[in-house]
Amino acid sequence: MVKKVTENVYLIEHEEAANNVIIIGKKGVVLVDTSLFPEKAKSIAKFVREFTMKNITLVFNTHYHPDHTFGNVVFDVPILAHELTRRKMEQFDSSYFRSLGIEYTEPKLPDVLFEDQFEYEDGLKILFVHGPGHTPDSSYVYIPSESVLITGDTVINDIHPEIVSDSNLNVWMKTLDTMPHAKHVIPGHGDFGSYESIEKMRDYIEKIRKLMNGELNPYELESDPNFINRKHAEMLEWGIKNLMTE
Ligand SMILES: [Zn+2]
């Protein structure tokens, strides 16, 4: 389903799978994340051509996770990402694919890399900023003229966030605290929302942090709307396990 966020920003939503976002510039279109499936990425490229009469000229990966990067293979344009995203993707081997239940194909690695921030201009200014926490390489996109923030998995709406073994809750909190106060926030999964999405995520991560430190009784979460109103409760249990085996 395609949802208009602002004049130049559209969210391509697929239920609970990773979001794809298109930013329509003057000459071309920037695609944020490429999904797990090359076929899906191909259909996005086709949709963009028909809908905007422009081609995708830049692809950006918010982080290395397969549901954000495996569609890279269908694009013959520069792929931008944080330098750690490329380094993590270089480690993908056949056993990694097997663990995901997917047949091995050579992943397409990002070839334009940045460390702290990357600025791109095509009629509108787009900032790509390193914002670790969910993973060490996580980055977000900020478009000041549209007041839009595209967060990758640093912010998740509607479902429980993915806390993985290389997540760092303190660093994650710091990133949420320093993200720009945008009017529209497009998360890595779930529907787009307002700045409140970031506040809710901050509350969620802070409570998990307290839980891990023994400062919060797990029973308190059973009546917390920020927890019970999110789908896939099993993700919470999985996330806590990941933090304990870190
Ligand atoms: Zn992720």
Side-chain angles (χ1 to χ4, degrees):
M1 194 199 229
V2 180
K3 290 180 171 172
K4 183 176 181 174
V5 181
T6 64
E7 206 48 46
N8 296 304
V9 180
Y10 288 78
L11 163 62
I12 304 173
E13 208 191 15
H14 325 264
E15 311 242 323
E16 289 156 6
N19 285 329
N20 303 105
V21 184
I22 56 169
I23 306 160
I24 306 169
K26 208 170 166 187
K27 292 197 215 87
V29 174
V30 176
L31 172 66
V32 178
D33 286 338
T34 58
S35 99
L36 184 61
F37 306 104
E39 277 311 311
K40 199 149 102 181
K42 254 187 221 165
S43 70
I44 291 170
K46 185 170 173 270
F47 163 77
V48 167
R49 267 193 308 276
E50 289 165 359
F51 183 67
T52 66
M53 315 292 267
K54 291 170 191 176
N55 283 315
I56 292 169
T57 42
L58 180 72
V59 165
F60 174 65
N61 295 141
T62 56
H63 61 301
Y64 73 87
H65 282 157
D67 55 334
H68 300 259
T69 55
F70 277 10
N72 285 6
V73 290
V74 309
F75 296 101
D76 201 15
V77 299
I79 296 178
L80 173 71
H82 190 268
E83 56 181 19
L84 285 176
T85 303
R86 182 182 166 111
R87 233 185 286 162
K88 285 295 278 192
M89 287 179 73
E90 280 169 349
Q91 292 160 18
F92 289 171
D93 56 11
S94 52
S95 69
Y96 183 76
F97 279 77
R98 225 177 298 130
S99 72
L100 298 166
I102 313 173
E103 212 180 306
Y104 180 78
T105 46
E106 186 88 31
K108 182 154 185 185
L109 304 179
D111 51 6
V112 184
L113 307 174
F114 65 95
E115 204 178 327
D116 298 320
Q117 187 171 308
F118 184 88
E119 199 177 315
Y120 183 79
E121 179 97 46
D122 179 18
L124 74 184
K125 190 167 84 174
I126 308 173
L127 296 168
F128 301 89
V129 186
H130 184 214
H134 166 61
T135 54
D137 65 318
S138 286
S139 308
Y140 61 85
V141 186
Y142 179 46
I143 313 150
S145 62
E146 314 270 314
S147 198
V148 168
L149 196 59
I150 306 161
T151 65
D153 288 357
T154 302
V155 178
I156 303 290
N157 284 342
D158 314 323
I159 57 179
H160 283 274
E162 223 177 277
I163 299 170
V164 292
S165 56
D166 57 353
S167 294
N168 181 317
L169 300 183
N170 290 326
V171 175
W172 198 331
M173 289 287 286
K174 211 172 139 200
T175 292
L176 289 165
D177 284 342
T178 50
M179 277 177 154
H181 282 239
K183 204 166 142 195
H184 312 283
V185 175
I186 308 177
H189 299 256
D191 203 358
F192 74 96
S194 63
Y195 186 74
E196 201 199 353
S197 310
I198 293 177
E199 288 166 340
K200 274 170 124 177
M201 196 66 195
R202 203 189 174 285
D203 173 78
Y204 188 104
I205 298 297
E206 173 65 7
K207 280 171 183 158
I208 297 293
R209 207 181 57 84
K210 281 188 172 161
L211 185 74
M212 297 307 291
N213 292 342
E215 295 162 27
L216 184 100
N217 188 318
Y219 293 114
E220 282 177 51
L221 300 181
E222 289 177 10
S223 57
D224 190 317
N226 196 14
F227 282 74
I228 58 175
N229 292 341
R230 289 177 189 263
K231 283 181 269 177
H232 293 294
E234 74 281 2
M235 296 275 294
L236 173 58
E237 206 181 311
W238 179 75
I240 289 169
K241 244 182 243 159
N242 284 335
L243 288 175
M244 293 197 320
T245 54
E246 207 174 309

